[in-house]
C-alpha cells in the first residue's frame, strides 16, 4: 500500500525506524505462528492475562512465508518508485500482537502525488503483482501438505474465506472435497491464504489503495466517481454477505451457523470505516496525473491487475463454525 505525504527521499533515520518496525513485526508474527503450531505449548502469563508459546521459533513455518509475501509486495512498490526516480520511504511494517495474522501489513510513503500515468500504474500494480508471485507458490505448497479430514463434531473452529482463485488451486491439488470433510490448513498454507487476502484488500479499486491507483491510471478522473460509489456500497455488501450466509445456514437447518454466519460480512463494514477515515484525511478525489494515456502494454497490465480482484474476492474473510 502506498501513501502520499512523506519528506523527500529516505534517510538513515527512515531505514532505522523501518528496521525496528520490521523486527517487531517479525516477533509478533512468530508469536502468532507459534500459537497455531499443532504441538504448541503455552505458558500462562498472569500479569498479562494471556498465555504465550514456550518456543516462538515454532512460528517460523507461518511467519517466514508471510513476511516474504509482505516484503515482496512492499518492495515491489519501492523498486517501481525508484525506477521512476520518485522519492519514497522504506516499507514501514505494522506489528499487531495477538491479532489474526500478527501484523496489519505495511505502508510506504511518498512525497506528494505521482504525476505520471505510467508511474502511477507501475507503482500501484507492482506491489500486488510481486506479492502474488510469492503467495501463490507458498499457498500451493501449503495446500499440498494440508490434510483433508472430517469436520470436527464440536464447534468453535474457523473457516477461511475462499475466492475463485483459491478454490481453483484447492481443487487442482486435492480434487473434490468429500461431503462432511474439509482441508485443514497448515501454518504455511494459512500464510499463503493470508497473502491472497491482503492482495485482495489492496486491489479494491477505491481511494488510494493499490487498486485505486491502477484504476485511476487507466480511467483518469472518471475513477473518482467509481471509487466513491464502491466505497459507499461496502456497508451494503457487508449486509448482503451476512444475510447470504445466514440464509444458507437456515436452509441447511444449521441453527448454530445461523447464530454466527450473520456476522460474516463484518470485516467489510470495518474496512468501509477505515476507508472513510482515509478519504476524510486525503480527500475524495485522487491526485491528478499528467501525460498521455497508458500504452497497450500498460493498459493490459492494468486490466489484468484489476481482474485479479475478481479472482481473489472473498465474500467472507473468515467465519466461525
Amino acid at each position: 500500500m502506498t501513501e502520499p505525504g512523506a519528506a523527500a527521499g529516505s534517510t538513515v533515520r527512515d531505514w532505522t525506524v523501518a528496521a525496528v518496525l520490521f523486527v517487531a513485526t517479525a516477533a509478533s508474527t512468530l508469536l502468532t505462528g507459534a500459537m497455531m503450531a499443532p504441538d504448541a505449548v503455552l505458558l500462562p502469563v498472569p500479569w498479562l492475562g494471556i498465555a504465550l508459546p514456550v518456543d516462538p521459533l515454532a512460528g517460523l513455518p507461518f511467519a517466514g512465508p508471510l513476511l516474504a509475501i509482505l516484503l515482496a509486495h512492499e518492495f515491489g512498490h519501492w523498486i517501481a518508485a525508484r525506477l521512476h526516480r520518485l522519492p519514497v520511504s522504506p516499507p514501514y511494517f505494522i506489528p499487531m500482537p495477538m491479532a489474526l495474522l500478527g501484523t496489519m501489513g505495511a505502508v510506504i510513503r511518498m512525497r506528494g502525488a505521482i504525476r505520471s500515468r505510467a508511474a502511477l500504474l507501475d507503482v500501484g500494480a507492482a506491489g500486488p503483482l510481486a506479492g502474488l508471485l510469492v503467495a501463490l507458490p507458498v499457498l500451493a505448497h501449503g495446500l499440498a501438505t494440508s490434510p483433508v479430514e472430517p469436520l470436527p463434531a464440536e464447534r468453535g473452529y474457523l473457516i477461511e474465506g475462499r475466492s475463485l482463485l483459491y478454490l481453483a488451486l484447492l481443487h487442482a491439488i486435492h480434487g473434490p472435497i468429500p461431503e462432511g470433510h474439509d482441508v485443514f490448513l497448515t501454518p504455511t498454507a494459512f500464510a499463503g491464504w493470508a497473502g491472497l487476502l491482503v492482495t485482495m484488500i489492496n486491489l479494491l479499486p477505491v481511494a488510494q489503495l493499490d487498486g485505486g491507483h491502477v484504476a485511476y491510471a487507466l480511467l483518469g478522473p472518471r475513477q473518482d466517481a467509481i471509487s466513491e460509489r464502491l466505497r459507499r456500497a461496502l456497508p451494503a455488501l457487508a449486509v448482503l454477505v451476512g444475510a447470504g450466509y445466514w440464509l444458507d445456514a437456515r436452509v441447511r437447518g444449521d441453527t448454530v451457523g445461523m447464530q454466527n454466519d450473520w456476522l460474516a460480512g463484518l470485516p467489510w463494514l470495518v474496512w468501509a470505516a477505515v476507508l472513510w477515515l482515509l478519504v476524510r484525511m486525503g480527500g475524495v478525489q485522487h491526485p491528478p496525473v499528467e501525460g498521455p494515456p497508458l500504452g497497450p502494454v500498460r493498459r493490459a497490465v492494468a486490466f489484468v491487475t484489476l481482474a485479479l480482484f475478481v479472482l481473489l474476492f472473498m465474500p467472507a474473510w473468515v467465519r466461525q463454525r
Side-chain angles (χ1 to χ4, degrees), residues 6-79:
S10 299
T11 65
V12 173
R13 180 180 179 276
D14 293 329
W15 284 100
T16 301
V17 172
V20 170
L21 287 172
F22 178 77
V23 171
T25 302
S28 65
T29 53
L30 272 173
L31 286 174
T32 300
M35 293 179 73
M36 68 176 68
D39 53 352
V41 178
L42 302 181
L43 180 66
V45 184
W47 61 278
L48 287 177
I50 59 175
L52 296 177
V54 173
D55 181 15
L57 292 182
L60 272 175
F62 168 77
L66 179 62
L67 290 174
I69 294 167
L70 296 177
L71 281 168
H73 183 119
E74 295 304 326
F75 274 102
H77 289 311
W78 190 86
I79 291 170

Side-chain angles (χ1 to χ4, degrees), residues 93-242:
F93 280 77
I94 306 171
M96 190 63 64
M98 313 309 293
L100 179 65
L101 303 178
T103 177
M104 290 291 289
V107 297
I108 61 171
R109 305 191 68 202
M110 309 190 70
R111 182 182 61 184
I114 303 172
R115 297 297 180 184
S116 160
R117 282 180 181 262
L120 184 63
L121 182 278
D122 292 352
V123 174
L129 293 180
L132 201 58
L133 284 176
V134 178
L136 285 176
V138 166
L139 180 59
H141 170 73
L143 286 176
T145 55
S146 296
V148 173
E149 298 177 348
L151 291 170
E154 66 277 5
R155 297 286 182 156
Y157 57 91
L158 298 178
I159 298 179
E160 73 280 6
R162 302 191 174 190
S163 62
L164 293 175
L165 185 57
Y166 177 88
L167 288 172
L169 194 57
L170 178 61
H171 187 274
I173 293 173
H174 285 290
I177 304 295
E179 185 70 25
H181 291 64
D182 204 354
V183 62
F184 286 76
L185 300 184
T186 63
T188 298
F190 188 61
W193 170 85
L196 299 195
L197 174 65
V198 169
T199 306
M200 183 269 291
I201 293 170
N202 276 283
L203 282 179
L204 185 67
V206 169
Q208 295 198 50
L209 299 178
D210 296 341
H213 291 318
V214 171
Y216 196 91
L218 182 65
L219 301 174
R222 289 177 294 168
Q223 167 60 15
D224 286 334
I226 296 172
S227 169
E228 188 63 7
R229 292 192 191 101
L230 288 174
R231 184 180 67 82
R232 292 178 180 273
L234 289 181
L237 174 63
V239 173
L240 287 174
V241 169

